[in-house]
Amino acid sequence: MINLSTRFSTSANLNSKDERKKRRAIRELFELDDENNLSLFIPLLDDKDSWYRTKALDAFRMWSIRLDTSHLAPLINHHNLDYNRAAANLLEKFEKNNIETVKQLFERDDLICQVKSAEFILQCDNQENFFEDLLQNKNVRLRIIALESKYSTQETLIKSLQDESSSIINFCLGKLTELDFVIEENKLSELISRGVNFTNFAPYLLKHNPNKLIEHIENLNSTEIRIIVKMLRQECK
């Protein structure tokens, strides 16, 4: 066990101008394996030497996950996008609480940061407002994350069938099919009249409205027919 005086001298050597002492201090801190030393690595995030920057990031990857998301703040608030993304990729290892810091990460203009932080936030309780805001986001991937979350309901899925994105419509149809929810005939007709790709409906129609599928099959092209035939074969297995 390394005593307190050794621990103090190790920390002091991080500021040494002697390169050997400074590097030895880094190695000793990793050997200590104490998450309480994480703050000592924060200044190294901006070190001119990439070796120290890498070690600082390693320290966050190793020890921040033993603490809580507030300890990711130095990475989240840093101007370096690689640090922001490193924080985003660590989120899945944290307990789903202390989300204020994570919401700062969502504000970054980077899809990786937004996706990872949104997934984290929507696993937390009492995030209805965030969910509603995300449903209105201009990015399709983020809207789908909202629809995948525990806050999404059948009513949400039905309402989202009005979305302009075919990806959103396809996702909602898939989820409603899984839930055995029967979509009203006029709603289906409306989607078809909007020019939504008919093959997106096929899994739903095969299960809930095969007559509707037969009704439109003569209007399909050869590629769409092949897709539907493949679905039918899978259903018959």
Side-chain angles (χ1 to χ4, degrees):
M1 178 68 70
I2 299 178
N3 59 38
L4 289 176
S5 62
T6 303
R7 189 184 299 248
F8 178 79
S9 63
T10 299
S11 302
N13 282 338
L14 280 177
N15 298 316
S16 175
K17 293 183 179 181
D18 186 324
E19 194 70 13
R20 291 173 301 176
K21 288 184 178 181
K22 188 174 179 180
R23 290 193 176 224
R24 185 168 63 247
I26 295 289
R27 289 191 291 269
E28 289 175 351
L29 286 170
F30 274 101
E31 288 171 5
L32 281 171
D33 194 18
D34 184 349
E35 61 270 21
N36 295 309
N37 289 326
L38 181 58
S39 61
L40 297 174
F41 286 81
I42 295 174
L44 298 179
L45 291 170
D46 293 307
D47 198 280
K48 63 182 180 180
D49 189 325
S50 62
W51 187 86
Y52 292 108
R53 297 197 301 271
T54 298
K55 290 300 179 183
L57 199 50
D58 288 344
F60 274 91
R61 289 174 173 142
M62 180 181 294
W63 294 321
S64 66
I65 59 177
R66 300 181 192 172
L67 302 165
D68 61 53
T69 55
S70 66
H71 290 81
L72 290 176
L75 298 181
I76 290 173
N77 296 321
H78 204 280
H79 59 81
N80 188 325
L81 180 59
D82 289 338
Y83 291 162
N84 304 156
R85 289 179 173 179
N89 288 320
L90 285 170
L91 287 176
E92 63 183 7
K93 299 181 180 180
F94 284 84
E95 293 293 326
K96 303 304 181 284
N97 49 38
N98 296 319
I99 64 170
E100 292 310 312
T101 305
V102 181
K103 285 186 175 181
Q104 294 174 27
L105 182 62
F106 181 78
E107 295 303 318
R108 290 291 180 187
D109 187 20
D110 177 71
L111 187 58
I112 291 174
C113 293
Q114 291 175 343
V115 164
K116 296 288 187 178
S117 56
E119 289 173 342
F120 182 94
I121 292 166
L122 289 176
Q123 290 180 65
C124 300
D125 295 331
N126 304 315
Q127 295 305 309
E128 289 83 0
N129 290 340
F130 182 85
F131 166 72
E132 293 293 341
D133 289 343
L134 201 63
L135 281 177
Q136 305 304 317
N137 195 285
K138 64 181 181 180
N139 185 276
V140 171
R141 179 73 186 97
L142 294 176
R143 297 206 298 278
I144 288 178
I145 287 172
L147 292 168
E148 289 173 333
S149 76
K150 64 182 181 180
Y151 295 98
S152 182
T153 63
Q154 284 185 0
E155 183 180 352
T156 309
L157 294 169
I158 295 166
K159 185 177 179 181
S160 294
L161 287 173
Q162 301 297 322
D163 199 283
E164 61 185 19
S165 166
S166 60
S167 296
I168 296 287
I169 294 170
N170 195 29
F171 175 84
C172 292
L173 286 170
K175 291 299 291 184
L176 290 168
T177 302
E178 289 176 17
L179 295 169
D180 284 330
F181 183 84
V182 179
I183 302 172
E184 295 178 0
E185 187 79 16
N186 63 338
K187 180 68 70 176
L188 284 174
S189 298
E190 179 189 340
L191 287 169
I192 293 170
S193 67
R194 284 170 53 195
V196 175
N197 191 328
F198 194 78
T199 55
N200 291 345
F201 297 97
Y204 172 83
L205 295 177
L206 280 172
K207 189 171 185 179
H208 293 293
N209 198 337
N211 289 334
K212 193 78 171 177
L213 181 59
I214 294 169
E215 179 185 329
H216 286 85
I217 201 161
E218 64 181 22
N219 299 321
L220 303 182
N221 60 42
S222 58
T223 300
E224 292 170 330
I225 291 174
R226 281 198 298 271
I227 292 172
I228 291 172
V229 169
K230 183 178 180 180
M231 290 178 184
L232 285 168
R233 286 173 176 167
Q234 290 175 339
E235 284 290 318
C236 294
K237 285 183 179 179

